[in-house]
Amino acid sequence: MMRAPRLEIDLRKIHHNTGILVERLARHGISVSGITKATLGSPDIARVLLNAGVKTLGDSRIENIETMRKAGVSTPIWLIRSPMISQVDPVVTHADISFNTELDVIKALSAAAQKAGRTHGIVLMVELGDLREGIMPEDVESIVRATLDLPNVDFKGIGANLACRSGVSPDAKNMGELSALANSLDATFNFEMDIVSGGNSANLEWVFSGADTGRINNLRLGESILLGLNPLNREPIDGLHIDAFKLVAEVIESKLKPSQPRGEIKQAAFGTPPPITNQGNISQVLLAVGEQDTDSDGLIPPLGFEILGASSDHLILNAGDNRLSAGDEIAFQLNYSALLRAMTSPFVAKIYSIQ
Ligand SMILES: *Cc1c(COP(=O)(O)O)cnc(C)c1O
């Protein structure tokens, strides 16, 4: 018997998605950094991204970057979340470049790099309206100047991240602002910066619309590669697989039960449950998977099944006309949030198809 719950990961589909995005963006002079954070820094997936044409990898966690380094991945890897000052030593050891917004952090990186006898690359993130990370545009020049004065750190370029906190979408205006800033910094400091990293999978629609991409020469892609989706509307991207990942869970109970609870209703494990319409008796199935393993709101059940609820360790389904018994398995598609939790849960086995 195979382990359950398990994530079945089709590396061929991930390879296909990566190759298509790398090629389509190359036509616009844009390189792809493959973002591994939703995979817990999986070296198997990292290798697939690299085989499919990605030249750099990125992750938000230094621990994931260390995992890939220990597995022998030697490609440039970018830490795409601002380093913690408490982690600058591993950051300069394992990441080639980090994304930064605080001069205090860059100073700590400089000191750590000096101590380690290394040079660490710095990309400065610019705030363009989504209000997550980023230096206010008018303050970038002074931080570039200060970075250039520090030993053992190398200013590599600028970047931005949209559509993560507030859903602000990339467009001619905000991307034009990033390009203009790159031009003005190049002129001010008399260099030509290497990297102008325009954003994440949410930028694809803007690029493929035929917009003038200006100075943008890199995107950092996670969700579009792994799930084949445009994160702005969660619609499939043309020609990409949306089912590279499947979460398989095992039935531990299957019974005809009333659709409505019996007794006085207060709070449940995860807050107040929504009201239930009475459908009489239903075929209720319990699966041995829960919020500890995935995000139940992000699971898509097979046709004919409906998710009724979840707690830490149980997922409850209306099986409709399906007759299931303990030991049977059900496979779900996952959204980004469900995938992230399943990849990071030690209770979920990861089964890779051979490439
Ligand atoms: C997660 C992340 C990405 C990748 O985003 P996707 O939408 O998965 O492509 C890119 N850049 C930063 C800074 C991120 O945090």
Side-chain angles (χ1 to χ4, degrees):
M1 278 254 237
M2 290 198 71
R3 282 181 61 189
R6 64 180 178 274
L7 258 183
E8 294 185 353
I9 305 165
D10 189 330
L11 295 175
R12 271 162 306 211
K13 288 180 177 167
I14 298 172
H15 186 279
H16 170 91
N17 287 358
T18 312
I20 288 201
L21 290 170
V22 165
E23 187 213 295
R24 285 183 192 166
L25 286 171
R27 291 186 217 145
H28 299 268
I30 295 175
S31 70
V32 174
S33 198
I35 303 303
T36 51
K37 70 183 186 212
T39 74
L40 200 64
S42 157
D44 296 88
I45 292 177
R47 286 199 189 91
V48 168
L49 302 181
L50 295 168
N51 287 339
V54 151
K55 295 283 184 287
T56 58
L57 298 170
D59 203 289
S60 49
R61 311 260 171 167
I62 192 61
E63 294 85 351
N64 290 347
I65 295 177
E66 285 190 58
T67 301
M68 293 188 276
R69 289 296 189 225
K70 283 195 183 116
V73 175
S74 59
T75 321
I77 308 184
W78 302 352
L79 180 64
I80 61 169
R81 182 176 74 179
S82 174
M84 289 183 241
I85 288 181
S86 59
Q87 293 188 328
V88 290
D89 290 323
V91 170
V92 301
T93 306
H94 300 292
D96 300 272
I97 287 176
S98 60
F99 284 22
N100 286 271
T101 62
E102 290 286 349
L103 189 55
D104 285 343
V105 176
I106 301 170
K107 285 178 178 164
L109 289 165
S110 166
Q114 240 183 324
K115 199 174 67 183
R118 289 171 171 270
T119 303
H120 183 72
I122 303 290
V123 167
L124 296 179
M125 291 298 265
V126 184
E127 169 58 54
L128 291 181
D130 199 52
L131 302 180
R132 200 180 69 180
E133 75 273 42
I135 302 162
M136 295 306 283
E138 61 273 22
D139 299 329
V140 175
E141 185 182 312
S142 73
I143 299 196
V144 173
R145 182 168 286 113
T147 302
L148 293 172
D149 283 341
L150 289 169
N152 299 65
V153 286
D154 217 0
F155 173 76
K156 291 288 188 192
I158 59 176
N161 195 69
L162 292 170
C164 269
R165 178 189 157 189
S166 314
V168 171
S169 60
D171 59 21
K173 196 159 185 291
N174 47 41
M175 287 297 105
E177 205 181 322
L178 192 66
S179 281
L181 185 59
N183 286 335
S184 110
L185 292 170
D186 278 4
T188 303
F189 294 103
N190 195 29
F191 54 38
E192 197 181 327
M193 65 179 75
D194 282 352
I195 298 169
V196 184
S197 187
N200 53 49
S201 297
N203 286 61
L204 291 170
E205 192 174 289
W206 166 74
V207 174
F208 298 150
S209 74
D212 173 7
T213 49
R215 289 288 305 275
I216 311 303
N217 63 9
N218 172 265
L219 291 182
R220 312 172 303 273
L221 303 183
E223 180 169 355
S224 52
I225 288 178
L226 301 172
L227 295 178
L229 298 178
N230 171 2
L232 293 177
N233 54 17
R234 301 267 139 63
E235 295 284 332
I237 298 171
D238 243 13
L240 300 193
H241 295 293
I242 59 168
D243 57 352
F245 294 85
K246 265 194 316 201
L247 181 68
V248 180
E250 185 174 326
V251 175
I252 53 173
E253 178 187 302
S254 175
K255 293 190 189 305
L256 212 60
K257 286 198 181 184
S259 49
Q260 284 207 305
R262 184 157 54 95
E264 194 193 343
I265 305 290
K266 296 203 173 160
Q267 290 212 348
F270 289 86
T272 310
I276 300 165
T277 50
N278 194 352
Q279 305 173 50
N281 277 349
I282 58 166
S283 191
Q284 180 182 293
V285 159
L286 272 193
L287 297 176
V289 69
E291 300 293 354
Q292 230 186 136
D293 311 291
T294 189
D295 174 1
S296 66
D297 288 333
L299 294 179
I300 304 153
L303 225 62
F305 291 86
E306 182 196 358
I307 295 176
L308 299 173
S311 54
S312 316
D313 309 293
H314 295 88
L315 188 70
I316 304 116
L317 257 61
N318 179 349
D321 298 330
N322 300 286
R323 291 284 160 264
L324 293 169
S325 335
D328 287 345
E329 293 184 335
I330 300 184
F332 299 82
Q333 260 180 264
L334 309 91
N335 75 6
Y336 190 76
S337 158
L339 172 64
L340 186 75
R341 293 249 291 268
M343 279 301 303
T344 51
S345 170
F347 302 104
V348 178
K350 282 82 184 174
I351 310 293
Y352 295 93
S353 69
I354 307 122
Q355 212 193 346

